[in-house]
Amino acid sequence: MLWAVEIHPASGEVDREGERVVLSARELGAATVTAVVASRLFLLEGELTEAQVSAAAAKLLVDPVAEQADIRPVLAEPSSPSAPDGVTIYVLFKPGVTDNTAESTRKTLLDLEFPVTAVATARAYRFPATTSAADVQRVTDKLLFNQAIERVMRDALRLRTLDVGHSYEFELKTVPLRAKSDGELVTYSETGTLHLSLAEMQTVQRYFVDLQRDPTDIELETIAQTWSEHCSHKTLKGRIRYRDEQGERHFENMLKETVFAATQTIRQTLGTDDWCVSVFQDNAGVVKFTDDYHACFKVETHNHPSAIEPYGGANTGLGGVIRDPLGTGLGAKPVCNSDVFCFAPPDTPFDALPKGVLHPKAVAQGVVAGVRDYGNRMGIPTVNGAVFFDERYLGNPLVYCGTAALLPVDRVEKQVAAGDYIVSVGGRTGLDGIHGATFSSIQLDDESETESAGAVQIGNAVAEKKMMDVILQARDRGLYRAITDCGAGGFSSAVGEMGEYSGAEVWLEKCPLKYPGLSYTEIWISEAQERMVLAVPPENWKEFEQICAAEGVEATVIGQFTDTQQLVLKYGSQQVGEVAMAFLHDGRPPVIREANYQPPEAAPFSGAPQSRYDDVLSAILASPNVCSKHWIIRQYDHEVQAGSVVKPLVGAGCDGPSDAAVVRPLLTSSRGLVLSNGMNPRYGDFDPYWMAASAIDEAVRNAVAVGADPSRIAILDNFCWGNTDRPETLGSLVRAALGCHDIAIAYGLPFISGKDSLNNEFAVKNAQGEVTSRVAIPPSLLISAMGQMEHVEQAVTMDLKRPENMIYLVGATHPEMGGSHFNLVTGATGGTVPQVKTALAPQIFKALHQAISQGLVSSCHDLSEGGLAVAAAEMAFAGGYGMELDLPLMMEATGLDIPEVLLFSESNTRFLVEVAPEQTRSFEALWQDLPCLPLGEVTAHDRLKVFGTDGNTLIDSSIRDLKAAWQGTLDWQ
Amino acid sequence: MAKPRVCVLRAPGTNCDVETAFAFESCGGTPESVHLFRLLEQPQRLQEFQILCVPGGFSYGDDIGAGVVFASQLRAHLFDALNEFLQADKLVLGICNGFQTLLKAGVLPDGQVSWQRQQSAPAQSTLTWNENGKYTARWVRLKVQSPQNVFLRGIDEIDLPIAHAEGRLVTHDSGLLSRWQSAGQAALTYTEWLADGSQLAPTWATNPNGSLGDLAGLSDASGRVLGLMPHPERYLFATQHPQWTRRGLRGAGAGLKIFQNAVNYFS
């Protein structure tokens, strides 16, 4: 028997979901949608009487004060026709999609001794008869459900059972690869969703010709997963012939010779003072922090899944990156998260969307909710982030999630031993996420939304939290020898990586499944979430299993590490695959790729002087990249774990934009961890080299501004690019990597880890299904920084503190308007892109850090988008005080007399610093020959005033108005 | 008495247990982080403790509603153990998800009285979705209305952070609020943030979630049980205050006092 418990808000309570739909329908232009009644449903299956269902509703499902419910049976073919007075749309998950609420409900009802066999949740939306059929359809398609994971039923639920899964009959599948022609190899690679190139397929073919047999399907899948761009990063770690205006350069391994090489150079220079511990080898980079703990940091992307199902994509993106430090060394405990998003403008008209593309506002809302629900439930504070908007992210949003963690100093090394059990811990394996690794390595098109649904998943944060809790206990008892996360490629990648130097035998029939019916290959490559793989010595297994069972976490022996250097896969008594580890990890054929970079034609800055700049300043503050992100920040728990020191929003109104986050990750130590980021895709259109330089400079500026020690900042790279098969796209990436190399060395900042995501393009098709255009994202290099500070009480925030304090500008200003926000809001063009002065910048960071450590700085803010004027405005409205600045000294120092350049140039390595009058002498003494200009002072009034050469007013705006402009753009409900 | 023993009771999805235990320990208590499953195996273990604290987090994912599953476990399996604990001269604290759990289980609003009543009568009050419909993380200022509550002794007003989606106290019983007020159970109310002399102040609503009577926390009539939505364990250090750099705050945080009061009750 199948029952529905339909729950509405009690009388007097607001129907928020219904209101949300009406509001969103208005934005969509569905004018006849004026009222919607929303409800949520539990579907209960089992030998249940109506009285039992009522009792279950009263005891567990329905809040007795805030909600009311009605109960009815669900039938496969309901006899009564739909209610005549409108349309009801039911939204259900597709069978097999993770439904956390349903699973909790099922377990709890069983615990309360209700005989349920299955539970599902659903939502219902009732439209009154006055709603047009077209509007119901439009709202249903655009607002109510996502066909990647959900399905709809009209007017009534028609269901026989909630059962999923089917019986599975073992059948070994062999692929006749040896006989295939080149053309057939290519076809097979595509239709079998292996996504391997012809050269790669030929290499695989030769391997099996030598073995004198054809491969099984699982062998091909294993090779395809391991060789996928997502797992092997074959493009950037491969051979590249690069040409630019300075000539030609050949790379054997591009990343190794740029980003990694910078770190090696820095470590050699540091010698015995080297504070890196593990770089580019484990799942996260590791550096020294205290005597007892190292700090780890990793940032990942989850772009393709987020394009199709933003909530699930972002949810599992964060869930995945949390497992990276947990799988680093013998397991690091996460202490904070970061997130950076790139979206198309949220005001994009609905009718401008290509087929198959979700609206950017829906993407943004889904992504933020996904990060919120996972991070908050995990109990890991999300402390730092950024959002960028550009038309080119339509169809290809970027979702970067990062996690910093602490690793005990004696838990860094891991090494599996032959005989160790291969143990799977955490969630069960299902059909979810099949082909995620290969899917994330290809381009999206309008069919992606339907074709790739299997690759989209929803996370279960509590399952991951439980898994983390038991793993950290087992780590402290020393019960396992190695650990890694099950990410892209599932068991295939995790076991393949861990057993690379030993060998492994896997017993696939032992893997616990969510439901029956999975083939041995599906078990092997499923990317079901919340799973880790550990190497547990047999003598520790019993104790390990007990720790897991004590907190309700499933742990299963699924195989054993060997010393055969072979990967052997079995299903019951049958061997279903055997591949040499050496072939798997080193057999991929090298490919030489072409990369060209041609600098764009330089164009002079077209801006013309104006008498006043109040409107420009307001417009930049209101621009989506600069504006307040409080809508996002306030939904994230940024205080859990009790380590918050500098919050994302600070100041008199607790609403000014912090430069970076400071946390105290150990309750027993005052040492601080600083998280910041730098990114500016707009500069990449001018020169990716200087874009990379600027991103690094910005990340460091942000960290140093709050008090981080510039000699202890580690950075991460995340390259998100378009299709690098095009030489000019790959060329721009190499150009950025060269920038990373040079600036990291000049600044002494080791890269400790990184990740890339290529092929971020969307193919727009016409009605005939022909590709009419491709939208590639702009070059998007995110630099994430993890800094340290001796004592968190030295931290500084960016809000003005006291009238009559002095304001200094430190750092040199140049006429660098290329890619600036001044150009963006005024329509001006041209100019040169900001560069960095590698000799000067480290000295500026050092002097500023001395000033902050000595307590000489009342507030400090870095200059980035919008330059001096924006930084001054933000400090003023964050602090609740006015500011008066005079530009003549700056004109004298720079030789520039163009006010818009002085106010809005985005030159790097600059800060505005507030210093109390009694500290100015000590402060100035630190700067000697370095650029440091007294520009003005803090005032008790509420205006920002900036004066030009002859005392003329350039800006005179109320800080209330400036703040209102800054807060208004993304003030979403 | 020597150091009181504190049971920091965590369920799957609880995530504030570490800092909550640290808070009690800093104040001289002897906390133990106890998994709910251990207590379900041996309910009488609860009597070894003087203080029961249900910390914050997302017990069981808050999947059916905040604290609902955790509460159902307490009611179904720990009725006698909690009954005995509530009868003794002991203390119970629920923070955020712990408050939601205690209220939905029936430990609040009336301590032992409502715990015994919950078997027969439906609850008259609940914690449900914030008026803004969103999870909200920010700071609030609180006014103590039940100075006789053990945890709140000597505190008049205090700044603490909130981080919740379902913190709005609701009832259909129009007389309930005044009964709580006269019985000293309306423990904490949201009150106006202190201005700092600058031109601007927070523009957020004083009451962050639309809670009945601006209530942020409830006490039982004995003053030995407290549930509150704000997180005192997130203000153990001055540097956790959102304006510590403006106000020159250093050293310990004001939230510690709530834990100190609990520990002192047994000394």
Side-chain angles (χ1 to χ4, degrees):
Chain A
M1 186 80 193
L2 187 56
W3 293 92
V5 179
E6 181 165 6
I7 302 170
H8 287 95
S11 72
E13 289 289 308
V14 176
D15 176 4
R16 278 190 190 78
E17 176 66 358
E19 286 184 348
R20 179 191 73 83
V21 173
V22 172
L23 205 70
S24 305
R26 198 174 303 154
E27 288 176 16
L28 188 64
T32 65
V33 179
T34 53
V36 175
V37 176
S39 58
R40 60 194 188 98
L41 297 95
F42 288 93
L43 308 180
L44 310 181
E45 189 169 8
E47 294 298 317
L48 293 156
T49 62
E50 183 161 357
Q52 283 176 308
V53 177
S54 288
K59 267 193 163 170
L60 190 71
L61 306 178
V62 184
D63 188 296
V65 181
E67 294 174 330
Q68 55 193 6
D70 81 274
I71 290 160
R72 58 178 187 272
V74 178
L75 303 170
E77 289 162 25
S79 51
S80 58
S82 62
D85 59 339
V87 178
T88 302
I89 302 291
Y90 293 91
V91 180
L92 299 89
F93 283 120
K94 287 182 173 170
V97 172
T98 302
D99 184 344
N100 295 319
T101 300
E103 187 53 17
S104 287
T105 306
R106 188 184 67 83
K107 285 184 179 157
T108 311
L109 287 175
L110 283 174
D111 178 67
L112 297 174
E113 296 177 348
F114 289 100
V116 288
T117 53
V119 178
T121 63
R123 306 189 303 277
Y125 302 88
R126 174 174 292 274
F127 295 85
T130 51
T131 320
S132 77
D135 278 350
V136 171
Q137 191 62 47
R138 199 139 170 257
V139 167
T140 302
D141 291 345
K142 295 284 179 199
L143 300 177
L144 299 189
F145 92 115
N146 184 328
Q147 60 167 327
I149 54 162
E150 292 168 325
R151 54 186 171 150
V152 295
M153 291 183 186
R154 248 178 116 91
D155 292 328
L157 288 164
R158 291 176 201 85
L159 286 167
R160 194 179 307 278
T161 174
L162 302 175
D163 242 8
V164 290
H166 54 87
S167 62
Y168 170 67
E169 297 246 345
F170 174 76
E171 185 199 350
L172 184 63
K173 286 188 183 159
T174 304
V175 181
L177 198 74
R178 287 180 297 171
K180 287 194 193 299
S181 68
D182 285 355
E184 287 167 339
L185 286 177
V186 170
T187 309
Y188 186 80
S189 172
E190 289 314 310
T191 55
T193 54
L194 299 177
H195 299 295
L196 293 177
S197 68
L198 175 61
E200 289 165 337
M201 286 301 286
Q202 287 169 329
T203 305
V204 177
Q205 190 181 41
R206 272 196 301 278
Y207 176 76
F208 285 98
V209 166
D210 290 346
L211 290 178
Q212 299 181 346
R213 66 174 177 88
D214 276 318
T216 60
D217 58 342
I218 199 169
E219 289 172 331
L220 287 180
E221 287 285 0
T222 304
I223 295 164
Q225 299 282 342
T226 313
W227 291 6
S228 71
E229 181 64 55
H230 192 88
C231 292
S232 73
H233 303 277
K234 54 195 171 191
T235 301
L236 303 191
K237 289 183 181 171
R239 296 181 186 175
I240 292 174
R241 183 168 41 225
Y242 170 74
R243 271 172 292 206
D244 65 12
E245 79 280 15
Q246 289 160 22
E248 185 172 314
R249 189 170 160 187
H250 185 86
F251 296 97
E252 278 299 306
N253 177 329
M254 196 277 292
L255 279 182
K256 196 171 174 184
E257 291 160 52
T258 54
V259 177
F260 307 172
T263 302
Q264 282 181 322
T265 305
I266 293 165
R267 294 184 75 175
Q268 277 159 14
T269 310
L270 286 169
T272 52
D273 293 332
D274 179 19
W275 49 279
C276 296
V277 176
S278 164
V279 296
F280 291 106
Q281 55 185 33
D282 213 328
N283 289 314
V286 186
V287 298
K288 291 180 181 172
F289 183 59
T290 66
D291 290 344
D292 301 322
Y293 289 93
H294 296 317
C296 314
F297 195 22
K298 177 71 175 215
V299 175
E300 282 268 18
T301 53
H302 220 216
N303 306 331
H304 291 82
S306 302
I308 291 174
E309 211 296 280
Y311 180 85
N315 204 242
T316 53
L318 182 57
V321 80
I322 290 168
R323 289 193 301 277
D324 275 323
L326 193 57
T328 296
L330 289 173
K333 186 186 177 194
V335 295
C336 53
N337 293 330
S338 66
D339 60 5
V340 174
F341 309 134
C342 300
F343 302 128
D347 55 0
T348 305
F350 272 90
D351 49 18
L353 296 177
K355 189 169 165 258
V357 169
L358 300 176
H359 191 274
K361 186 170 178 183
V363 173
Q365 288 169 328
V367 163
V368 168
V371 168
R372 174 195 68 203
D373 286 354
Y374 212 99
N376 292 356
R377 274 174 175 69
M378 282 300 292
I380 304 169
T382 302
V383 299
N384 182 250
V387 190
F388 295 91
F389 295 92
D390 188 297
E391 288 79 5
R392 290 168 286 179
Y393 295 116
L394 193 68
N396 247 308
L398 303 183
V399 175
Y400 301 86
C401 294
T403 301
L406 293 186
L407 180 66
V409 293
D410 60 354
R411 291 288 186 273
V412 176
E413 299 300 329
K414 57 175 152 196
Q415 172 101 55
V416 303
D420 285 353
Y421 286 145
I422 302 171
V423 174
S424 161
V425 179
R428 291 189 158 206
T429 301
L431 286 170
D432 33 359
I434 302 251
H435 282 139
T438 45
F439 161 66
S440 67
S441 308
I442 59 169
Q443 286 179 39
L444 297 181
D445 59 32
D446 66 350
E447 283 159 21
S448 310
E449 219 183 313
T450 45
E451 259 177 11
S452 315
V456 177
Q457 309 170 63
I458 291 178
N460 180 342
V462 170
E464 184 142 307
K465 172 76 166 75
K466 286 162 65 181
M467 176 178 77
M468 180 175 83
D469 290 347
V470 295
I471 283 174
L472 294 176
Q473 290 172 43
R475 175 199 72 184
D476 292 341
R477 293 203 212 167
L479 296 182
Y480 55 87
R481 265 196 269 264
I483 180 171
T484 200
D485 71 306
C486 256
F491 288 138
S492 156
S493 296
V495 177
E497 262 172 43
M498 286 174 87
E500 181 175 352
Y501 302 107
S502 57
E505 180 175 306
V506 183
W507 312 317
L508 292 162
E509 82 285 357
K510 306 258 193 228
C511 302
L513 303 181
K514 293 183 178 178
Y515 36 81
L518 272 71
S519 75
Y520 58 89
T521 302
E522 288 166 336
I523 294 169
W524 182 234
I525 63 170
S526 161
E527 297 179 6
Q529 297 289 310
E530 289 93 25
R531 299 179 304 165
M532 304 281 291
V533 175
L534 292 84
V536 180
E539 62 271 22
N540 295 343
W541 164 243
K542 209 171 165 195
E543 189 179 349
F544 182 84
E545 191 187 20
Q546 277 168 357
I547 288 180
C548 294
E551 303 201 358
V553 176
E554 197 164 30
T556 313
V557 176
I558 63 163
Q560 202 158 24
F561 289 104
T562 62
D563 57 4
T564 61
Q565 318 289 320
Q566 295 285 108
L567 175 65
V568 175
L569 305 173
K570 291 186 169 171
Y571 189 83
S573 58
Q574 287 275 336
Q575 176 159 319
V576 294
E578 178 168 6
V579 187
M581 287 291 188
F583 178 68
L584 207 51
H585 293 287
D586 303 316
R588 186 165 44 76
V591 181
I592 300 182
R593 286 168 210 272
E594 298 291 327
N596 297 328
Y597 182 77
Q598 207 51 50
E601 292 280 328
F605 172 55
S606 72
Q610 303 171 19
S611 58
R612 290 284 291 261
Y613 293 92
D614 303 84
D615 293 345
V616 176
L617 173 57
S618 256
I620 297 178
L621 287 168
S623 68
N625 294 343
V626 174
C627 76
S628 174
K629 307 300 184 298
H630 61 275
W631 172 76
I632 300 173
I633 293 166
R634 290 275 172 235
Q635 296 190 62
Y636 292 162
D637 187 347
H638 45 265
E639 317 232 15
V640 63
Q641 296 193 16
S644 173
V645 175
V646 172
K647 302 179 202 302
L649 293 172
V650 296
C654 297
D655 52 11
S658 257
D659 289 297
V662 180
V663 297
R664 174 208 302 258
L666 290 166
L667 293 164
T668 49
S669 162
S670 298
R671 197 165 172 83
L673 212 51
V674 181
L675 250 56
S676 65
N677 67 77
M679 185 170 183
N680 203 324
R682 289 177 52 76
Y683 297 166
D685 298 335
F686 289 76
D687 189 337
Y689 182 96
W690 292 117
M691 173 186 78
S694 296
I696 294 173
D697 192 88
E698 185 183 8
V700 177
R701 285 198 311 265
N702 281 325
V704 172
V706 297
D709 176 352
S711 69
R712 274 290 175 109
I713 296 175
I715 54 177
L716 307 178
D717 65 76
N718 280 88
F719 293 90
C720 288
W721 247 255
N723 183 352
T724 45
D725 290 344
R726 273 198 310 273
E728 60 274 23
T729 304
L730 187 56
S732 75
L733 193 154
V734 174
R735 180 99 166 178
L738 292 170
C740 288
H741 171 267
D742 295 353
I743 307 308
I745 292 176
Y747 285 18
L749 303 168
F751 279 99
I752 59 168
S753 188
K755 201 69 193 269
D756 55 81
S757 165
L758 309 180
N759 292 324
N760 288 291
E761 301 203 356
F762 187 87
V764 181
K765 293 182 185 172
N766 63 15
Q768 287 75 44
E770 295 154 344
V771 175
T772 53
S773 63
R774 289 181 194 281
V775 183
I777 63 163
S780 305
L781 171 67
L782 170 67
I783 298 292
S784 306
M786 178 175 71
Q788 304 184 18
M789 57 195 300
E790 188 64 37
H791 197 297
V792 293
E793 288 183 355
Q794 291 171 346
V796 166
T797 56
M798 50 70 69
D799 46 310
L800 293 181
K801 301 296 188 301
R802 207 174 66 190
E804 291 171 26
N805 281 353
M806 294 289 291
I807 299 292
Y808 291 87
L809 171 66
V810 304
T813 305
H814 306 280
E816 294 175 317
M817 302 298 279
S820 67
H821 266 60
F822 179 88
N823 286 9
L824 183 70
V825 305
T826 62
T829 56
T832 44
V833 74
Q835 303 191 353
V836 302
K837 307 294 176 214
T838 51
L840 187 62
Q843 298 181 60
I844 292 174
F845 293 136
K846 192 174 170 189
L848 179 60
H849 181 61
Q850 281 176 334
I852 290 175
S853 309
Q854 291 169 24
L856 306 177
V857 173
S858 300
S859 72
C860 177
H861 194 24
D862 91 303
L863 272 58
S864 53
E865 288 100 335
L868 171 65
V870 166
E874 289 177 344
M875 291 175 84
F877 65 63
Y881 293 111
M883 200 194 272
E884 291 185 12
L885 303 177
D886 296 299
L887 297 190
L889 260 183
M890 197 175 164
M891 294 181 182
E892 201 176 297
T894 58
L896 299 166
D897 63 352
I898 313 160
E900 62 266 34
V901 172
L902 296 172
L903 289 170
F904 298 108
S905 167
E906 297 180 8
S907 294
N908 284 301
T909 330
R910 295 186 303 158
F911 302 86
L912 278 179
V913 184
E914 177 190 4
V915 179
E918 60 272 24
Q919 310 280 19
T920 52
R921 182 174 296 194
S922 312
F923 179 79
E924 287 175 13
L926 290 170
W927 295 89
Q928 305 292 342
D929 298 332
L930 297 171
C932 173
L933 301 170
L935 281 197
E937 63 175 39
V938 182
T939 61
H941 63 61
D942 67 352
R943 301 192 76 80
L944 172 67
K945 300 183 185 186
V946 184
F947 303 102
T949 345
D950 35 9
N952 56 315
T953 301
L954 296 171
I955 294 172
D956 180 359
S957 287
S958 148
I959 60 173
R960 294 166 208 277
D961 295 343
L962 294 170
K963 183 165 146 180
W966 180 72
Q967 288 185 325
T969 308
L970 291 180
D971 193 21
W972 293 349
Q973 262 317 296
Chain B
M1 190 185 257
K3 291 178 165 190
R5 295 189 61 192
V6 186
C7 172
V8 178
L9 185 61
R10 67 190 174 97
T14 296
N15 62 30
C16 304
D17 45 314
V18 174
E19 54 269 38
T20 303
F22 176 82
F24 279 110
E25 192 172 10
S26 312
C27 297
T30 305
E32 183 183 334
S33 179
V34 179
H35 197 285
L36 173 64
F37 293 178
R38 302 291 80 71
L39 218 49
L40 296 179
E41 290 160 5
Q42 291 181 288
Q44 279 310 307
R45 271 212 65 200
L46 184 60
Q47 316 312 330
E48 296 168 11
F49 299 93
Q50 283 73 50
I51 301 170
L52 168 65
C53 177
V54 186
F58 288 81
S59 55
Y60 295 90
D62 282 358
D63 285 334
I64 301 172
V68 167
V69 178
F70 198 171
S72 97
Q73 296 287 311
L74 297 180
R75 289 158 65 134
H77 306 299
L78 295 172
F79 180 81
D80 293 335
L82 266 164
N83 200 42
E84 186 179 337
F85 194 91
L86 288 166
Q87 272 173 356
D89 186 17
K90 294 181 172 181
L91 302 178
V92 180
L93 176 64
I95 302 169
C96 195
N97 194 243
F99 178 29
Q100 293 163 335
T101 301
L102 293 181
L103 185 67
K104 290 177 186 183
V107 174
L108 281 166
D110 301 317
Q112 201 208 343
V113 178
S114 54
W115 183 244
Q116 289 180 344
R117 191 179 56 212
Q118 51 97 359
Q119 298 296 63
S120 53
Q124 294 305 307
S125 55
T126 193
L127 284 159
T128 188
W129 277 87
N130 298 344
E131 212 162 50
N132 67 7
K134 282 185 301 198
Y135 184 98
T136 301
R138 50 164 271 205
W139 278 63
V140 294
R141 187 163 180 81
L142 301 164
K143 172 91 182 155
V144 172
Q145 309 287 359
S146 305
Q148 73 277 27
N149 183 287
V150 173
F151 295 94
L152 302 176
R153 286 177 182 171
I155 303 172
D156 177 26
E157 295 193 354
I158 184 172
D159 293 339
L160 291 177
I162 56 153
H164 62 246
E166 299 175 55
R168 179 170 55 101
L169 201 57
V170 179
T171 181
H172 295 316
D173 178 347
S174 55
L176 192 60
L177 177 61
S178 62
R179 291 205 299 281
W180 281 343
Q181 284 164 339
S182 49
Q185 290 179 253
L188 287 159
T189 51
Y190 299 109
T191 191
E192 205 175 331
W193 191 255
L194 280 190
D196 69 358
S198 75
Q199 296 279 347
L200 298 174
T203 51
W204 57 40
T206 297
N207 179 339
N209 51 29
S211 195
L212 166 77
D214 295 331
L215 281 172
L218 288 175
S219 168
D220 75 336
S222 77
R224 289 186 284 107
V225 181
L226 178 69
L228 74 170
M229 289 312 300
H231 286 271
E233 84 287 6
R234 296 182 183 182
Y235 192 18
L236 307 178
F237 307 103
T239 49
Q240 289 172 294
H241 193 280
Q243 295 179 328
W244 71 273
T245 58
R246 299 177 69 76
R247 302 186 186 190
L249 305 177
R250 296 287 188 277
L256 215 51
K257 176 81 173 160
I258 287 176
F259 302 95
Q260 192 68 62
N261 280 336
V263 171
N264 289 351
Y265 186 69
F266 298 96
S267 59

